[in-house]
Amino acid sequence: MSVRVLVAGLGNMGRSHALAYHRHPGFEIVGLVNRRAPKLEAELGGYKVLADYGAALRELHPDLVSVNTYTDTHADYAVMALEQGAHVFVEKPLAMTVADAERVVSAAKANGRKLVVGYILRHHPSWIRFIAEARRLGGPYAFRLNLNQQSSGANWQTHKTLMETTSPIVDCGVHYVDVMCQITDAKPVEVRGMGVRLSDEIAPDMYNYGALQVLFDDGSRGWYEAAWGPMVSENAFFIKDVMSPNGAVSIVMEPGARSDDLDTHTRTDQIRVHRAALKADGSFVGADELISMQGEPHHDALCAREQDYVHRAIVEDLDLTRHMNDAVQSLRICIAADESIRTGLAVKL
């Protein structure tokens, strides 16, 4: 089955997704949407580029719309497509607010269409293994996760544009909160947040450093930290660490990895599994296990896996109820963290 797709938004993620559709035999790109003339790879040079999303949607009647625009347009663009009868892939975060996220999910259900949210780590074999190893240990868990990005030039400009509507703790945090939720399967009950404005180049009410704590009803606790900007430290910028009574699972990055390298944001290199069991003399029963993840897919290959899942969701009529609920839940936690940062109060869920 060939799925006719309209791709809206041609930034870093949008171009990667467009290449995935172009290279997939089950997709046919019927048009691209971008407000300004984009710089495109040669493979995408033959496609029509339109500036107006609504007009493109009405003119082309796609089977699928890929929404890769800034977060403040996600909900409206997705609902427009769903109500016209198209399936939707939308980059994370699903929306600016929990109410808007629920509105998108309701539109997908009401129109009998598929809604897939761009949680790329769900399609990464190394992250799938990381989650499986953590679940094998058993909870309760202590989660320590971050992704800080030292940015300059065009990357800093992109981050400043993102921060006109969305803080780092929401934009990036939904990925890693989703990982926590997949591992524990427990109910989040409280969120605490803190943020710091470290640049005069962003709005007075915005912060480019943020951290959250999430408390789960099984006793698990999670910490996540995100920062963007030229002042961000390269020290310990990539921490992916889960501890339980039975041991710990960690992602070990190669020496010299940089926070402004897009592939670094998903690459794992090695997974270290530590088991807490002790012998009678107090020494460890076994040495740590190092699982090599050589040959893992790069960023564009991950996007290809993600869009293959979208194709299967459509042609195999996959049940996406849990997928959509999880997307709303991770956003709810990150929005609560943002509320906590702005009010100085913990937020009960």
Side-chain angles (χ1 to χ4, degrees):
M1 174 183 174
S2 180
V3 176
R4 301 171 64 256
V5 57
L6 174 68
V7 183
L10 296 168
N12 287 335
M13 294 304 299
R15 291 197 306 275
S16 291
H17 291 313
L19 287 169
Y21 298 124
H22 173 78
R23 294 165 181 170
H24 194 292
F27 288 112
E28 174 195 350
I29 295 178
V30 295
L32 307 174
V33 177
N34 209 62
R35 284 179 293 183
R36 293 181 293 273
K39 294 180 180 179
L40 295 175
E41 289 77 358
E43 289 178 77
L44 302 175
Y47 293 114
K48 183 177 182 180
V49 180
L50 301 96
D52 187 291
Y53 172 75
L57 192 61
R58 292 188 295 271
E59 174 188 338
L60 299 171
H61 291 280
D63 303 316
L64 168 70
V65 175
S66 181
V67 179
N68 320 293
T69 51
Y70 286 114
T71 308
D72 58 339
T73 60
H74 284 185
D76 288 343
Y77 280 19
V79 170
M80 286 172 64
L82 291 163
E83 290 181 344
Q84 187 174 290
H87 305 287
V88 167
F89 169 83
V90 58
E91 259 303 331
K92 58 80 192 165
L94 174 55
M96 289 283 291
T97 67
V98 175
D100 271 347
E102 291 174 336
R103 178 166 63 96
V104 178
V105 171
S106 295
K109 293 176 178 178
N111 292 281
R113 300 292 87 185
K114 302 301 181 186
L115 170 66
V116 177
V117 185
Y119 283 62
I120 198 168
L121 298 183
R122 286 184 168 227
H123 307 279
H124 195 306
S126 301
W127 280 88
I128 293 169
R129 179 68 179 272
F130 176 74
I131 291 167
E133 293 292 343
R135 286 179 63 87
R136 193 171 291 123
L137 289 175
Y141 298 96
F143 301 105
R144 302 193 304 157
L145 306 173
N146 78 355
L147 180 58
N148 296 319
Q149 300 176 52
Q150 185 184 93
S151 58
S152 59
N155 287 339
W156 176 225
Q157 186 57 52
T158 296
H159 284 152
K160 287 188 288 185
T161 303
L162 285 167
M163 285 186 287
E164 291 175 6
T165 57
T166 312
S167 69
I169 204 71
V170 176
D171 183 81
C172 294
V174 289
H175 267 315
Y176 301 103
V177 167
D178 181 59
V179 169
M180 295 181 197
C181 293
Q182 287 184 70
I183 292 171
T184 181
D185 267 338
K187 180 181 178 182
V189 294
E190 184 176 313
V191 182
R192 305 161 182 169
M194 68 170 187
V196 185
R197 180 175 179 263
L198 296 172
S199 173
D200 291 336
E201 297 181 54
I202 60 176
D205 63 346
M206 181 53 73
Y207 52 94
N208 61 315
Y209 171 88
L212 66 78
Q213 295 175 326
V214 55
L215 286 63
F216 295 90
D217 66 358
D218 69 341
S220 295
R221 301 290 185 262
W223 163 83
Y224 177 72
E225 173 191 68
W228 295 337
M231 74 296 295
V232 171
S233 170
E234 287 280 274
N235 184 49
F237 71 88
F238 186 99
I239 299 170
K240 305 293 184 286
D241 203 24
V242 180
M243 295 181 284
S244 89
N246 298 310
V249 181
S250 310
I251 289 176
V252 182
M253 290 299 297
E254 67 179 13
R258 289 190 54 81
S259 65
D260 59 356
D261 179 354
L262 190 60
D263 278 325
T264 295
H265 302 173
T266 54
R267 193 171 64 223
T268 60
D269 295 323
Q270 287 186 327
I271 295 173
R272 180 191 297 272
V273 181
H274 167 72
R275 292 176 177 85
L278 300 174
K279 299 177 184 176
D281 65 3
S283 61
F284 286 113
V285 169
D288 289 358
E289 178 185 4
L290 285 173
I291 304 168
S292 174
M293 305 310 299
Q294 285 187 345
E296 63 183 3
H298 55 73
H299 186 262
D300 283 354
L302 285 173
C303 289
R305 287 172 180 249
E306 191 169 31
Q307 298 313 323
D308 184 65
Y309 176 77
V310 174
H311 189 267
R312 290 195 299 108
I314 295 169
V315 302
E316 298 176 20
D317 192 24
L318 301 182
D319 184 354
L320 299 178
T321 303
R322 172 70 188 266
H323 175 89
M324 293 187 291
N325 290 344
D326 286 353
V328 174
Q329 176 170 266
S330 58
L331 179 64
R332 188 189 311 277
I333 291 169
C334 292
I335 292 291
D338 184 74
E339 179 185 341
S340 176
I341 289 168
R342 296 179 187 281
T343 64
L345 302 172
V347 177
K348 300 287 187 182
L349 298 177

